[in-house]
Structure formats: C-alpha cells, structure tokens
Amino acid sequence: MKSLLFITFLLHSVFGLIAQKNPRDLDLKWKTDTNNTTIPLNEFTALMYADGIPPIDDPDFYDLENAKKEYFAFEPVIAVEIDGKAKAYPLSVLMFHEIVNDSLGGTGITVTYCPLCNSALVFNRDLVYKGKSYHLDFGVSGMLRKSDMVMYDRQTESWWQQFMGEALVGALMGAQLDIIPAPVISLDEFAALYPNGRVLAKVLDDKGEAEFSYGHNPYVGYDDIAHEKPRLFFDEVDDRLPAMSRVVDVIVGQKHKIYPLKVVSKEKVINDSFEQRPISIFYTEKVVSVLDSADIKKSKTIGAVNVFWAEVDGRVLTFKKKKDDFIDHQTKSVWNMKGECIKGELKGKELTTLPHGTHFAFAMFAFYPDALIYKD
C-alpha cells in the first residue's frame, strides 16, 4: 500500500513538471518542443487559447494630425526611434492586443505590453541563435508566469517570457531578444520631439468600427498602491517595496538597478552611476496611468522617464530640470526628453538612451530579485 501511494505521489509530481497548469481544461495543441525547458512547465498557467488576446501583425498608423483627434494629449505611448524614423504605440491600444509585430528603420521589432506587470518593452525580432538567423513574429500564448505574459514565436512555437525577452521552453530555449530602448512618454511630447512621427492606429473591424473599447481601462483601480496581492501572482510577494509601486528598471548588460518612480518624480532628475558609468534619469510629469480610472482620460497623473548614459564625447554631465527642459551643470546647455541638446554649447549632441522599463515592483523582484535598489 505504501509503495502504491509513493508511486501515485511520484506520478503526480512528475506530471506537474511536464505539463503547464490548465485550470480551464483547454484543449491545447502546442507543437512546442517541451523537452527543451529551463524551468518546470507547471510554472506556466494556461488561461486561454493562443492569440485569444489578438496581436497586431499588420499595423496601420495615423499621422500626428489624425492621432491627436483619436487620442488625448497625455496619452501614454511607447516611443520607438530607429535610424531617424519614429513611431508611437499607445498603451490604451496595446492593453487589448499586448503585442505588435512591426518594422522600423529596416529593423524588425516587437512592441509588447503586459498590463498585469505594467511592463512595456520593445524587442528586436531579428534573431541570430546558434548560427541560424530568424525573423520572428510573436503571438500571445494565453499563458502567464509570475503574472507576466508568455509570448510564443510562430516559427518554432517556443515560449518566451515577456518581462525578460528570453525563450524558456522550445527549440529556441536560452535565446535572448535584444531590448530596443523605448521610453513611455505622452502623445503630446512624442509629437513635439518627433514632428514626422507616426502613431499606431486603432484596429477596426469589417464595419469600420473600433475592434475594442480603446480608451477604456478593463483593469479599473489595478494600480492602487494599497493592493498587496497582484492578480494571478501565486508566489510570495517581496515586501522591500509596495507590490504595486512603480519602479524604473535600468538595464546594463545582464545587470539591473531599480529606481522607485516615487523618488524619481520628487527629484525630477537622478544623477547616478551604474556599472562604473554615469547615468541620468529624466522625469516628465505629463503622462497618466492606463490602469486607474475606467476612462483613461480621467486617470491620475503618474509621469514617466527616459534614461541615458550621462556622457558626451568622453565628458561626464550632470543635470537638473527647469520647467520642461533639462540643464547640464557643466555647460548650462539645454536638453529635451529625447536626450537631445537643443540650445547652448553642446547643441546638436545627443545622449545615448539606455534600455529600461517602468514596472510594478512585485514583478521586478519576481524576475530580478538580486537587482540593486537606488537609495536617494
């Protein structure tokens, strides 16, 4: 009898390791090579079929004039610039699609947003891995891990963690997507910084009507700082910072450093060093939350950031903010949110943007528990 119980326990344990959780008993038919995995498969929870949240594969865009008619001034958008070309992707659209497969400046990009972790990240989807080149396009797997979206690529059906840009399961296991620096700023600021930029259009159905209620927030009150337990997060919450507080994750190589947005918003500029190099974080007030009020236009202002190497031609700079501009202490030159010097001795120079994201603290600690934390 004891032997039978042990065998039963062992079978249940092994099964848990070889299959993702499937609480809704979905008829899943993945072609993924699940023999290649870096983690137990039971860390994944399947809640819907693949692309039940439909990604955008053939995006349309507005010019700025029409974008301003469709969206509002403080609308948060992911701003992407490559080789002088710029596009903006409103979070109010991405929260209903989560992935946009696109290209910009000759580079294949995948723009992603996971509302549950508030993680807005852009990846280069042109991948070279183990000597082979891939031009990937991504879908929404319908699975979550640690409350974060799991993506899949349609070429190999490998499973990718959005928060990390890493393939955890499948033929591409171990592959890492390059992050493309892309700050979240307001539509108004994007238009000012990129006068020739284009803005992702709302997706229309066959009748020419919006496919979803863009501008409406289905996660009303989700970012309330008082919430101690995030949705569909089953791990223990790290209490070093409030779970739903926003933190800026600055990425250098494989290293991460956390800057609480509350601190950044107070200081307006953070001058710091990371990995023995100077960095500066610029803060802008003119961005609202998409996870507060039902009507995003009425949501609270949270602000946003851009992060730079604070060095030009070998010269280290430090900054302060004056109204909407940023002034370096060394030359008194004037810089904008893009990191471009617009007036003064260094006019025409541009700071290098660092990969970064602004996430909820619980997710940051879940994926990068060893990240440094900035102390003001």
Side-chain angles (χ1 to χ4, degrees):
M1 184 65 178
K2 288 183 179 179
S3 298
L4 180 60
L5 288 173
F6 174 75
I7 292 171
T8 302
F9 169 78
L10 185 63
L11 287 173
H12 278 289
S13 299
V14 171
F15 180 77
L17 294 175
I18 63 174
Q20 70 270 50
K21 294 174 183 173
N22 188 3
R24 297 177 180 174
D25 197 26
L26 302 173
D27 184 17
L28 302 172
K29 297 179 180 179
W30 287 102
K31 299 176 182 177
T32 310
D33 182 359
T34 54
N35 291 318
N36 284 343
T37 180
T38 60
I39 60 172
L41 297 184
N42 65 354
E43 289 193 17
F44 299 92
T45 301
L47 296 172
M48 61 180 65
Y49 290 108
D51 295 334
I53 295 174
I56 301 175
D57 292 313
D58 297 301
D60 291 322
F61 290 85
Y62 302 128
D63 59 24
L64 290 177
E65 182 179 354
N66 286 304
K68 290 178 179 179
K69 297 176 183 177
E70 297 291 333
Y71 305 114
F72 65 100
F74 292 173
E75 182 106 26
V77 301
I78 305 174
V80 189
E81 180 188 18
I82 299 176
D83 288 342
K85 305 291 184 181
K87 290 180 177 179
Y89 301 82
L91 296 189
S92 62
V93 175
L94 273 165
M95 68 194 312
F96 289 97
H97 297 277
E98 298 195 354
I99 293 176
V100 180
N101 293 300
D102 199 9
S103 61
L104 183 62
T107 299
I109 64 173
T110 292
V111 182
T112 70
Y113 179 59
C114 176
L116 295 183
C117 295
N118 193 55
S119 49
L121 296 166
V122 180
F123 302 104
N124 185 334
R125 60 192 179 104
D126 294 323
L127 174 72
V128 177
Y129 185 62
K130 294 185 176 179
K132 187 174 180 181
S133 297
Y134 299 87
H135 181 66
L136 301 172
D137 56 277
F138 289 90
V140 181
S141 73
M143 293 183 284
L144 293 176
R145 176 174 174 262
K146 298 183 186 295
S147 196
D148 180 55
M149 169 179 52
V150 176
M151 312 186 298
Y152 76 98
D153 69 77
R154 298 198 180 104
Q155 285 64 36
T156 73
E157 294 197 10
S158 296
W159 299 348
W160 300 72
Q161 190 78 63
Q162 181 261 358
F163 204 94
M164 305 167 69
E166 180 182 355
L168 300 179
V169 181
L172 296 179
M173 180 194 74
Q176 183 80 49
L177 299 172
D178 290 334
I179 295 178
I180 296 174
V184 174
I185 56 177
S186 70
L187 175 66
D188 203 30
E189 286 178 312
F190 176 82
L193 295 172
Y194 303 100
N196 296 314
R198 295 187 294 157
V199 181
L200 179 69
K202 298 174 181 177
V203 179
L204 305 180
D205 61 21
D206 293 339
K207 298 179 181 179
E209 298 176 353
E211 196 167 276
F212 292 96
S213 299
Y214 303 118
H216 172 78
N217 166 28
Y219 305 90
V220 177
Y222 180 63
D223 66 351
D224 188 335
I225 196 71
H227 289 166
E228 296 181 356
K229 189 66 176 176
R231 289 188 191 180
L232 300 168
F233 185 75
F234 306 113
D235 295 359
E236 184 176 348
V237 175
D238 192 309
D239 63 1
R240 284 178 286 174
L241 291 169
M244 307 307 290
S245 62
R246 287 175 166 85
V247 297
V248 181
D249 171 28
V250 179
I251 307 165
V252 177
Q254 300 299 314
K255 302 290 187 179
H256 296 260
K257 191 168 184 178
I258 296 171
Y259 297 79
L261 186 61
K262 181 179 180 180
V263 174
V264 182
S265 65
K266 177 183 176 182
E267 299 296 331
K268 310 303 181 187
V269 174
I270 298 290
N271 297 298
D272 194 23
S273 62
F274 184 31
E275 288 297 285
Q276 300 180 333
R277 290 191 61 183
I279 69 168
S280 288
I281 302 176
F282 290 5
Y283 174 80
T284 177
E285 295 86 355
K286 301 176 182 179
V287 179
V288 304
S289 168
V290 294
L291 299 170
D292 177 32
S293 299
D295 182 352
I296 294 174
K297 285 183 182 178
K298 299 177 181 178
S299 290
K300 62 190 175 188
T301 298
I302 55 170
V305 303
N306 206 354
V307 183
F308 308 97
W309 284 129
E311 195 172 353
V312 172
D313 298 334
R315 186 179 192 176
V316 175
L317 303 176
T318 56
F319 298 85
K320 63 180 179 180
K321 189 171 186 183
K322 186 176 182 180
K323 295 185 178 179
D324 291 334
D325 296 322
F326 301 87
I327 315 294
D328 72 68
H329 293 100
Q330 287 70 27
T331 73
K332 312 303 180 187
S333 298
V334 180
W335 305 72
N336 61 22
M337 193 65 188
K338 180 182 172 183
E340 180 182 40
C341 186
I342 56 176
K343 184 179 180 181
E345 177 184 329
L346 298 178
K347 184 177 180 179
K349 299 290 184 180
E350 193 162 345
L351 301 171
T352 299
T353 306
L354 280 174
H356 64 279
T358 301
H359 320 301
F360 289 133
F362 83 87
M364 190 65 210
F365 289 136
F367 290 105
Y368 301 111
D370 297 326
L372 299 173
I373 303 177
Y374 173 77
K375 305 294 183 183
D376 59 320

